[in-house]
Amino acid sequence: MSSNAEAPLRQPRHQKLQELLREAIESGEFAEGEQFLTERQVVDRYQVSRPTANKVLSGMAAEGLLEFRKGVGTFVRRRPLDYDVRTLASFTQKALDAGRHPSTQVLDFDRVAVTEVEAEIAAHLRAKPGETLLAVGRLRLADGIPVILERRWLPAALFPGLNRGELRGSIYRVIAEKYQLEITESDQTIRAIGIRGSDARLLQVPSGSAGFLVSAAGYARDRAVWWERTIYRGDSYEFHHHRAAPGRLISIPASGSGRAR
């Protein structure tokens, strides 16, 4: 396309185009989660070249304003979910607070001997030889998009009768209400990672995509109740350090307000 076609935008072209596209989002013309203009539509609407349109759309995606979904198109990115490092908050409640629809897929639910798991897992759970653990794998989705891949191990002796159906809801609520265990402490380590292999496939991201790995243990007084390794998609979460009110280590919605973590 000739330089005359781009004249209406003046110089610098890509900055002016970015301003116009931002205005289209901020004005509400394109709401969070809605499909955005394609490269071709940007070219036709604003009379710019394809390289200019591509540069601006890619830049807005890098800023977190847009997201590309392979084979589907470009969408206005929803605001990221909030992970408060000082509390164990319900995934479902956080998703609902962000205007997202939460759901859970239970990938694995197995009984395993302590000897079958890594030494690190057994050590964090303070498990003794001969004990049995529950190995749980869950995929958490917001608006049908996988955002969390959770792998958790629990001492089987603490949770007799735990069933697969309960894992589609709040583990925190089951622990508190069915098993009468009060989680008083949590020890968490957060590390930036590249999501690869089967983890990337489950989370539906390209191999090497940015993510966060949270390794954490939950304790009821001096008893280790779980150990987990959970991967969070880097494009879907922000980690914050909020002030926790006394007695509010775990935040779950009231009974009847929907399923939670």
Side-chain angles (χ1 to χ4, degrees), residues 31 43 57 60 68-69 74 77 100 114 125 137 146 148 190 196 207 216 235 240 252 254 259:
V43 169
L57 291 174
M60 293 176 71
F68 298 128
R69 298 181 192 171
T74 304
R77 187 187 176 200
R100 315 281 286 275
V114 169
L125 289 172
I148 299 174
I190 302 171
R196 304 183 188 280
S207 182
D235 62 354
H240 296 145
I252 59 176
R259 289 181 173 177

Side-chain angles (χ1 to χ4, degrees), residues 100-230:
R100 315 281 286 275
H101 174 71
S103 58
T104 299
Q105 293 178 11
V106 180
L107 305 175
D108 303 291
F109 181 43
D110 302 304
R111 296 176 66 90
V112 297
V114 169
T115 54
E116 296 179 52
V117 302
E118 298 171 37
E120 180 187 21
I121 297 169
H124 280 289
L125 289 172
R126 303 168 189 168
K128 298 180 176 60
E131 285 191 43
T132 300
L133 304 178
L134 300 176
V136 175
R138 302 195 299 173
L139 189 65
R140 320 306 298 276
L141 302 93
D143 289 342
I145 300 172
V147 293
I148 299 174
L149 177 58
E150 171 192 310
R151 295 184 177 93
R152 191 184 299 247
W153 294 266
L154 310 95
L158 289 180
F159 302 101
L162 181 65
N163 62 69
R164 194 181 189 95
E166 290 170 322
L167 297 176
R168 296 189 183 94
S170 169
I171 283 184
Y172 294 162
R173 177 172 291 129
V174 171
I175 289 173
E177 297 181 1
K178 180 176 179 178
Y179 296 100
Q180 299 295 299
L181 292 171
E182 180 185 2
I183 305 303
T184 54
E185 294 181 61
S186 175
D187 183 9
Q188 303 182 74
T189 299
I190 302 171
R191 181 163 59 91
I193 62 167
I195 307 174
R196 304 183 188 280
S198 61
D199 294 342
R201 289 191 291 273
L202 285 168
L203 286 168
Q204 298 179 13
V205 296
S207 182
S209 295
F212 299 100
L213 173 63
V214 176
S215 303
Y219 300 92
R221 299 188 184 279
D222 293 330
R223 183 67 168 95
V225 175
W226 75 73
W227 167 252
E228 66 174 297
R229 289 192 188 121
T230 299

